[in-house]
Amino acid sequence: MDNNLNVKILESYVEIDKIHDDINNKIFKFITQASELVELSDDDYQIERTLKLNKISLKGYVLDSECCIELNNNNISNYSIDELKIYLEQYERRTNDDYSKYFLALSLYENIEEIENLVDTKIKLEITEMSELIPNINNIKEVDKNNLEKFYYEQKNNIDNFYQTSKIEEKSYNICIQFLNDIFNYYISGYPDIPDGYLYHEESEMI
C-alpha cells in the first residue's frame, strides 16, 4: 500500500470537491435568476438546455434591446460586456426606461462564463492528478470521439490494476474512478446541462 499516494488522492479530492460544490452553487444561482428573467422579460427569454444555448439566447435578448438597436444604428457594435453596461446605464438615465432585466441578462451571461471556467479548472486538475497514475490520460485531448470508449476502458483497467495490487485503497480507487468519469463525460458531452425540471416549453409551462 502506497500511503503517500492515497493521501495525495484524498487531498486532491478535497480540493476538487470544493470546485464541484462551487459549480453546483453557481448553476443553482443561474437557474434562480434565469427564472426571474423569464418573468421580467414576459417570456421573451427562455431557459435553454445547455450553457452554450443560454449564452446565445441571453446575447440575442440584450442585442434586441432599444439601446443596442440604437448603438447598431450608430455603427457601434464592437464592445465588451463592461462597455455595454455603461451604454445601458447611459441609455437608462437618458430615457428613464427600466433596464434592470437587461442588466440581469448580462449578469447571467457572466455567471455562465464563470461556470464554464470552473468546469475547465476542475477537469484540468483531475487530469493532472490522474496523470500520476495513468500518464496516458493526457492524450485524451487528441483521442477521436469514436475511440473514447475504448480509451476509457484502457485507463480504467490501469486504475483497476493499482487497486488489485493493493497500491491504492478502496476509497482512493473510488475517487479515481469518479475523476475518470468526470474527465470522459466532459470530453464526450461538454459542460453540464440545465436539469429538465427548469426548462420551459414555448407556452412557458414547466416540463
Side-chain angles (χ1 to χ4, degrees):
M1 186 74 66
D2 188 335
N3 287 327
N4 288 334
L5 182 58
N6 283 296
V7 168
K8 192 171 187 314
I9 291 170
L10 289 173
E11 287 175 346
S12 300
Y13 174 78
V14 171
E15 181 181 2
I16 290 168
D17 193 50
K18 286 179 182 176
I19 299 174
H20 180 74
D21 286 344
D22 200 7
I23 292 168
N24 284 340
N25 288 337
K26 287 187 181 296
I27 289 176
F28 180 75
K29 177 185 175 183
F30 171 81
I31 290 169
T32 301
Q33 294 186 334
S35 298
E36 293 175 14
L37 183 58
V38 171
E39 293 186 19
L40 286 173
S41 69
D42 293 325
D43 298 335
D44 283 345
Y45 165 73
Q46 296 291 327
I47 302 175
E48 305 287 352
R49 178 172 298 279
T50 68
L51 296 181
K52 181 179 180 180
L53 286 175
N54 276 293
K55 285 175 77 173
I56 293 170
S57 183
L58 288 164
K59 183 178 179 180
Y61 176 68
V62 175
L63 290 178
D64 280 342
S65 68
E66 291 296 327
C67 174
C68 288
I69 291 171
E70 183 179 279
L71 289 172
N72 188 56
N73 289 339
N74 292 328
N75 295 317
I76 302 172
S77 58
N78 188 19
Y79 41 76
S80 67
I81 289 181
D82 287 338
E83 289 171 334
L84 178 54
K85 287 177 183 177
I86 294 172
Y87 288 134
L88 293 177
E89 287 171 359
Q90 292 171 342
Y91 186 88
E92 188 178 43
R93 284 198 300 269
R94 178 161 55 85
T95 63
N96 287 322
D97 287 342
D98 181 3
Y99 260 48
S100 57
K101 58 188 179 182
Y102 295 113
F103 287 110
L104 177 56
L106 290 179
S107 176
L108 286 167
Y109 188 95
E110 291 176 316
N111 189 6
I112 292 174
E113 293 199 319
E114 289 173 4
I115 294 168
E116 291 175 339
N117 289 334
L118 281 171
V119 172
D120 290 342
T121 299
K122 177 188 170 190
I123 298 302
K124 186 177 179 181
L125 275 173
E126 288 177 330
I127 290 175
T128 299
E129 295 305 323
M130 294 306 301
S131 65
E132 297 197 18
L133 279 180
I134 44 174
N136 281 350
I137 193 67
N138 285 304
N139 297 332
I140 190 169
K141 300 163 192 174
E142 284 78 45
V143 176
D144 187 273
K145 276 202 171 184
N146 295 325
N147 297 321
L148 276 174
E149 185 176 357
K150 179 185 175 184
F151 188 70
Y152 171 86
Y153 282 107
E154 289 174 354
Q155 307 314 308
K156 183 178 182 299
N157 285 337
N158 290 329
I159 298 172
D160 289 344
N161 288 334
F162 273 93
Y163 179 54
Q164 289 161 2
T165 56
S166 299
K167 290 180 181 176
I168 58 174
E169 60 189 13
E170 184 176 1
K171 187 172 184 179
S172 297
Y173 170 77
N174 290 332
I175 290 170
C176 289
I177 295 300
Q178 179 181 319
F179 287 174
L180 189 68
N181 289 340
D182 283 348
I183 294 165
F184 274 82
N185 284 336
Y186 174 80
Y187 278 93
I188 292 170
S189 304
Y191 297 112
D193 288 344
I194 303 300
D196 284 348
Y198 298 98
L199 303 176
Y200 288 76
H201 288 302
E202 289 183 359
E203 298 81 6
S204 301
E205 295 176 355
M206 298 290 280
I207 293 178

